[in-house]
Amino acid sequence: MTTIGLPVALGIIMLGLGLSLTPADFARVLKQPKAVLIALVCQLILLPAICFGLVLLFQLPPVLAVGMMMLAASPGGTTANLYSHLFRGDIALNISLTAVNSVIAVITLPLITNFAIAFFEPFDDQLGLQWSKALEVFAIVLLPVAAGMIIRRFWPKFADRMDRPVRIASVIILVVVIAGAVASNWSLLVDNVARLALITVLFCVISLTVGYLVPRAMRVASRQAVATSFEIGIHNATLAIVIAQSVLGSDELSLPAAVYGVLMFFVAFGFGFLIRGRSGEREPEAVASS
């Protein structure tokens, strides 16, 4: 499952993302730079810093600390698009942010992971994500997305037909991957579930809150704030699990992402109802101001 199943599962998820993308999704970033810039600053700088503070506060063991930092460095997951649609967010902004984040993560994820490994020193025999392993991250993240975009460019009808089945398969695969990671590390999980559950739930709540309140404070429209909230708050746990187990070869390193991946669904769902009520009241003002 680790050597073949996990990369294949993530590849299918990222292929599904590519099937929904066009070059216009990247160009759209230039049309609404304010919301995108705020989201990227929160995603790439603010949240890793907050996660680092939480890790120190909770005094996690070194391997789990690195796992949390790797989770914080992961881009938004495709599940964010589903939640944004459910709670009336700006889907186009979600798609654009996911596209940009996935590209940037090829650089930032290895950098943040290497910083965490150097700081917490969980391994005695390796220095972190070296260039060869960073290339693996590139292949895992971007090649399936590029393949999906090529399919959509030259065979758009086929891409449209495959969009829904691949989305459904992605959700099923996500659940299976997380369940497999939990099952294969059950004893480790039982030993650390209390501290991991608390810190992952807290990090998820903070991520969602930052993703909503910071854009609203900067006068970003309500629907865009809902989109950035889920894009920032729902991290790609599957990517973190794949890199931990397949690239770095550590099952324990994947535990924070596995626990987060389970609890995130419930936290994000409850948060969505909370902000939908608030955004529904403020939407006319946001539309008028824009």
Side-chain angles (χ1 to χ4, degrees):
M1 180 176 179
T2 299
T3 55
I4 299 177
L6 284 176
V8 169
L10 182 65
I12 293 174
I13 293 174
M14 301 309 287
L15 175 67
L17 172 61
L19 289 174
S20 67
L21 292 178
T22 66
D25 295 316
F26 292 89
R28 191 185 300 115
V29 172
L30 301 177
K31 298 180 181 178
Q32 43 188 1
K34 182 178 180 179
V36 172
L37 182 60
I38 292 172
L40 290 178
V41 169
C42 291
Q43 178 85 35
L44 302 176
I45 300 175
L46 187 56
L47 287 184
I50 291 173
C51 184
F52 184 69
L54 288 175
V55 166
L56 295 179
L57 178 65
F58 279 77
Q59 298 181 336
L60 290 184
V63 174
L64 298 182
V66 173
M68 279 298 303
M69 292 300 297
M70 184 181 297
L71 174 66
S74 299
T78 53
T79 312
N81 299 343
L82 300 179
Y83 274 89
S84 186
H85 174 71
L86 180 63
F87 295 105
R88 303 174 185 175
D90 186 339
I91 305 296
L93 177 59
N94 272 108
I95 294 174
S96 298
L97 283 172
T98 301
V100 174
N101 268 332
S102 297
V103 174
I104 296 177
V106 174
I107 299 173
T108 57
L109 200 154
L111 286 177
I112 294 175
T113 300
N114 281 342
F115 162 77
I117 290 175
F119 185 89
F120 294 106
E121 299 182 342
F123 310 120
D124 295 329
D125 58 344
Q126 65 186 67
L127 299 176
L129 283 171
Q130 303 303 306
W131 280 110
S132 60
K133 294 183 177 181
L135 289 177
E136 289 184 48
V137 175
F138 172 84
I140 289 171
V141 175
L142 288 190
L143 291 185
V145 174
M149 292 183 68
I150 291 172
I151 292 173
R152 184 168 186 82
R153 171 65 178 83
F154 291 101
W155 301 281
K157 293 183 179 180
F158 175 76
D160 289 336
R161 290 197 304 269
M162 291 301 297
D163 181 64
R164 183 176 176 82
V166 171
R167 282 178 182 270
I168 295 173
S170 296
V171 174
I172 296 174
I173 290 168
L174 175 64
V175 173
V176 171
V177 167
I178 293 171
V182 170
S184 62
N185 297 281
W186 183 253
S187 59
L188 287 171
L189 183 63
V190 170
D191 293 337
N192 297 280
V193 66
R195 61 174 64 180
L196 281 178
L198 184 56
I199 190 173
T200 51
V201 167
L202 184 57
F203 179 63
C204 186
V205 170
I206 292 175
S207 298
L208 290 164
T209 304
V210 166
Y212 183 75
L213 292 184
V214 171
R216 290 299 282 154
M218 302 295 290
R219 300 185 180 277
V220 170
S222 176
R223 289 185 67 245
Q224 292 183 323
V226 172
T228 58
S229 176
F230 289 118
E231 189 66 33
I232 291 171
I234 300 180
H235 296 269
N236 195 333
T238 310
L239 175 60
I241 292 172
V242 169
I243 293 176
Q245 296 192 13
S246 300
V247 179
L248 289 175
S250 172
D251 291 341
E252 191 175 0
L253 197 65
S254 69
L255 288 182
V259 174
Y260 170 91
V262 173
L263 299 178
M264 168 272 297
F265 288 105
F266 305 100
V267 177
F269 196 70
F271 189 86
F273 276 104
L274 178 64
I275 63 175
R276 185 170 72 167
R278 293 169 60 88
S279 63
E281 296 171 0
R282 299 181 181 183
E283 189 66 32
E285 176 187 345
V287 171
S289 63
S290 60

